[in-house]
Amino acid sequence: MAIIYHEEKKLFEIRTERSSYLFGINGNGTIQHLYWGEPIAAAESVDLLKSRSHSSFDAAVDREAEEYGGWGGANYAEPGLKASFADGVRDLQLQAIGHTIEGEEALALHLKDAHYDLRVDVRYKVVGRHDLIERRVAIRNGEAEPVRIEQAMAALWSIGGLPDYRLTHVTGRWAGEHQLRSNLLSEGKKVLESRRGFTGPHANPWFAIDDGGASETAGRVWFGALAWSGNWKLVFERTTFGGVRVAGGVNDFDGAFSLAPGETYESPVFVGGFATGGFGQMSRALHQYEREEILPARGPRKVLYNSWEATEFAVNVRDQLALAEKAAQIGVERFVVDDGWFGERHSDRAGLGDWRVNAEKFPNGLEELIAAVKGLGMEFGLWVEPESVNPDSDLFRAHPDWIYRFPTRRSTPLRNQYLLNLGKPEVKHFVLDFMTELLSKHEISFIKWDLNRTVTEPGDSGNADTTHSVWNRHVANLYEIWAELRRRFPHVAFETCAGGGARIDLGILRYADQAWISDNTDARDRLTIQEGFTYAYSPSAMMCWVTEAPNGFNGRSLPLSYRFHSAMMGGLGIGANIGKWSEKEMAEAARYVSLYKEIRHLVTDGDQYRLASLRDSNIAAYQYVGRDGDEAVVFAFLQSEHFGGSERRLRLRGLDPEAVYEVRGDDGSEAWVRHGSTLMHLGLPLALRGDYASWLLRLRRIGESAKEA
Ligand code: GLA
């Protein structure tokens, strides 16, 4: 891992374990991207370093691969920065004025406009052991007048020289998030974005580009993920000259802002990486990076129980106590009370914003329940939705001006609620204060922080402050609140939730230990959602609940074993009405919870291999290999049996070919003893029959060769 500046060639080289990333300053003064891919001898790339023009219609072709550039001159590629100066000039000419290299990890390119004192630091941090590069920019206005920033991308990535460019990303909707899509990019622009005020369920800010031929196990993949939880935009622009540029950052849609004299704008981080081992290697690099650099959580997730699907808003101390007793019997470690415990919250029509314990539901306060939960050996957790308010609430009656609104418009209610303008200092204090009181007064170890609507009418009650984009202030203050709460209450774990998985990104995951990735709890639908999630995000953050059969979302009845297997592939939760479960179901659940506790270190800290996907077969299978390679667990799911055909075999991955493993299924069948090579190349017969069958296999290394075994 290294950062080297080859002075005589004006060439910058960033080396990670598996990649070279090269750019240089060409004759035009453009900082031209040269190469990103397998390690090469950097100096030999300089023949690419030249300014390039094709015609008067295509004057500055080299700027299509600019490391970071502004809109100005003959540059028509998607710009990093678009700005207008106080005198009406809207043209940028960013020139390199120097650079700083700090150790092996950090590089900053210093750019300045040719005339105005507008400076851009383009920053790189090499996360070499994960083969990743974190990029961001800092933009400083040294002028005496404000500068209007129309677009400020965190990074531009250039990918060149592929015959085809295939983009893989996710799309989705509420209760159907993280659906994978792959499309070839033809010339023109493809935009993935959110305009709804937060990350959103419709797309997620990460991408993967390959040459159309990469698979789960092989092939070159360029990828990136943006750490921002507000409006975001990723632009994929394929030019007629054969390259693709990925520009990503905070969305410029309704996002222009003024940069005051002396002020600096810091963009979010946009991390990028390169893998030669296909999408699986890409995901494992991101998972490890998230576990080691991003997520505050360490170690396995606690098994939780959540009462939402069992009781919805009808929460009271008696029923919750009964559920808690049942939860403790099956080995739950964290009991979470969801929506409905506060104010006049009997439905989604009232009470949101009134964060005092409802005295009818909890006559002796929350303490009675908390003491009982702790007495049963569990932690206590609570649901909150601090950014929202019902019009029918004391909070709204007292502060109608705290919501986003335009004075001449009626605010749009969604789920009967408005959104608080968190950018206002008084709203920020209100949220911080009530959360502090809640967490100081009660022994709460876990907070599920929800958000259940999109942003509309993003105005400031008549205060026409355009200094900062309203959208950006919300996110900045949200991050500050979470950071402060984590400082004040280091023992409390936090979960990000937004009507399920609508606020999951590398920005919020710096503050959240885990994520509720979808309200859809059907174990089959979840396989697809969970698979899409793991393309960019670590299974250690992926919360999955076992719920009822038939499932409330789609009426499908799945065996309890299938529901557990599906939910054991991330952080396990139980969200069923266990008060109604039979003794047999309770005993089976207890067995699975205890099995989960034995294997969860593999799920949350191990390397994940996606062996088979229901996207292209009748089988889904996922393997998790412990970091020391001594243990692994495999989950396999059969969609539906077709009689006849060849025997199905499951080929495993990530094992030591020379080592011998004992393989044991959770169906009581006899164990196998096999070499890693056999398990990976010949595979195991898949003993699944019927519809919606599932299987869990545990592997344990028992020797280095057949003789020793
Ligand atoms: C959202 C969450 C659910 C639940 C409800 C409560 O939809 O995603 O898990 O907490 O809100 O109102």
Side-chain angles (χ1 to χ4, degrees), residues 174 308 313 338-339 345 383 415 448 450 452 497-500 516 519 545:
W174 174 75
W308 172 243
F313 297 96
D338 209 277
D339 200 348
R345 186 77 168 162
W383 177 98
R415 206 195 193 205
K448 172 179 172 186
D450 206 344
N452 274 302
C497 170
W516 180 228
D519 275 348
W545 299 352

Side-chain angles (χ1 to χ4, degrees), residues 369-381:
L369 178 59
I370 294 178
V373 164
K374 296 198 74 178
L376 289 162
M378 297 181 292
E379 289 184 351
F380 183 77

Side-chain angles (χ1 to χ4, degrees), residues 311 314-325 335 369:
T311 64
V315 167
N316 64 57
V317 68
R318 193 193 61 235
D319 295 347
Q320 294 291 313
L321 271 173
L323 286 167
E325 274 166 23
F335 183 82
L369 178 59

